[in-house]
Amino acid sequence: MEKNGSRNIVTNSIRLLIFLSVLATAQAQDIPAFHQKFVSFPFPMDRPWKASLGFSLTTLAQDVTEEQHLRVPCGEFHLLRKISHNSYIDGKVSFQVFQNQVSIGPRWAFPISHRMSVSLGNDVAFWFGNFNLEGFKTTGHGFQNYPNISVGYRFNKGILLTFKEEAIMNLSIKAKTGTTPVTSDYRLFGGSSFTATLEQPFYGNKSLSLGFRFIYTDFFWQTWALFETFDRNIFYPQLLVGFIF
């Protein structure tokens, strides 16, 4: 059931993209140029590079921690590189002291009206961690894939709202304690996530990004060292804050 649901997300996203492409061609309108900085809004880039630096705060469920709800902070560095008028590369580094994730993928963005814009993308991510638990060195790494679609809307006064939906695919997960491998059996189509992000001018020539991400998956990379023993999806709410420069 959950596997089919994740596949449906990708299928419906592709169908939506085709519909929006036809709509965009028919309307042939562009969002008026404005000087606000953004990294999440799905719009063709007007400069070679864009970047933001901030943090995320994820609440881990009691089912995972077995004791209490934990809120795990993580640094976030977001970098965009323009490729052509409608395409760019989206890269992100999520960093903690003991575990990190690096993701990168292409985006194709186009406006569909004077206020709305859409993008389609696909990110490949590599996560890795190193812990010393109870005298045993525990290490882990893995690859994930995130097909995604984003829809953005521009309000007056330069306030940008973006909705992003992505499927979560577990390509590989490997971990070991000392020299002993830890077996894991996670589904390829692990789950999905939904993100709502607001971007607006902050101070000087900088902008502020505030987002909420709702993750529903059987494997979340920040919990790899807890080695969950059950096979079901868990809900992870996440707060995202970034300063765009």
Side-chain angles (χ1 to χ4, degrees):
M1 182 76 68
E2 292 166 346
K3 181 178 180 180
N4 292 334
S6 297
R7 286 179 174 174
N8 288 337
I9 291 175
V10 179
T11 303
N12 291 336
S13 297
I14 294 175
R15 290 174 178 172
L16 177 60
L17 178 69
I18 295 174
F19 169 76
L20 293 176
S21 298
V22 175
L23 184 63
T25 304
Q27 293 189 11
Q29 297 182 28
D30 289 335
I31 295 178
F34 53 94
H35 300 290
Q36 180 180 340
K37 297 179 179 179
F38 55 87
V39 293
S40 297
F41 192 71
F43 189 72
M45 292 179 59
D46 58 352
R47 63 192 69 183
W49 298 91
K50 290 187 178 184
S52 71
L53 181 63
F55 66 90
S56 65
L57 190 64
T58 307
T59 300
L60 304 185
Q62 231 173 338
D63 290 344
V64 176
T65 62
E66 297 182 356
E67 293 181 0
Q68 57 183 345
H69 289 280
L70 298 179
R71 291 176 174 83
V72 181
C74 186
E76 301 280 349
F77 177 66
H78 202 163
L79 182 67
L80 307 181
R81 169 60 175 170
K82 182 178 180 179
I83 301 299
S84 66
H85 175 68
N86 290 98
S87 64
Y88 54 94
I89 297 296
D90 188 305
K92 181 180 290 186
V93 179
S94 302
F95 53 93
Q96 294 175 324
V97 177
F98 301 107
Q99 56 186 359
N100 309 276
Q101 185 189 61
V102 180
S103 67
I104 188 170
R107 294 288 187 279
W108 179 46
F110 55 89
I112 61 175
S113 73
H114 69 289
R115 288 188 181 272
M116 294 187 66
S117 188
V118 174
S119 75
L120 180 71
N122 184 67
D123 297 333
V124 176
F126 174 70
W127 63 265
F128 56 95
N130 189 333
F131 286 91
N132 193 340
L133 301 174
E134 299 180 357
F136 291 94
K137 185 178 180 180
T138 303
T139 60
H141 66 273
F143 286 92
Q144 292 185 299
N145 192 49
Y146 300 92
N148 59 81
I149 185 170
S150 298
V151 178
Y153 183 83
R154 179 179 64 86
F155 294 92
N156 292 328
K157 300 182 179 179
I159 298 177
L160 308 177
L161 174 63
T162 302
F163 296 108
K164 179 181 178 183
E165 185 178 20
E166 58 189 345
I168 301 175
M169 302 173 63
N170 301 312
L171 303 182
S172 71
I173 300 172
K174 296 183 179 180
K176 63 180 181 179
T177 299
T179 59
T180 305
V182 179
T183 59
S184 58
D185 184 20
Y186 294 99
R187 299 185 301 273
L188 173 62
F189 290 90
S192 60
S193 73
F194 179 82
T195 307
T197 306
L198 276 175
E199 294 171 298
Q200 64 181 53
F202 187 50
Y203 72 93
N205 63 346
K206 296 179 177 59
S207 293
L208 175 67
S209 174
L210 177 63
F212 295 94
R213 186 184 185 201
F214 305 97
I215 308 168
Y216 187 65
T217 180
D218 69 334
F219 175 76
F220 179 51
W221 70 273
Q222 292 186 28
T223 66
W224 69 270
L226 299 177
F227 303 122
E228 306 105 78
T229 57
F230 41 82
D231 182 19
R232 60 183 176 84
N233 286 22
I234 296 178
F235 176 65
Y236 300 92
Q238 191 176 68
L239 171 68
L240 304 168
V241 179
F243 297 94
I244 307 169
F245 51 90

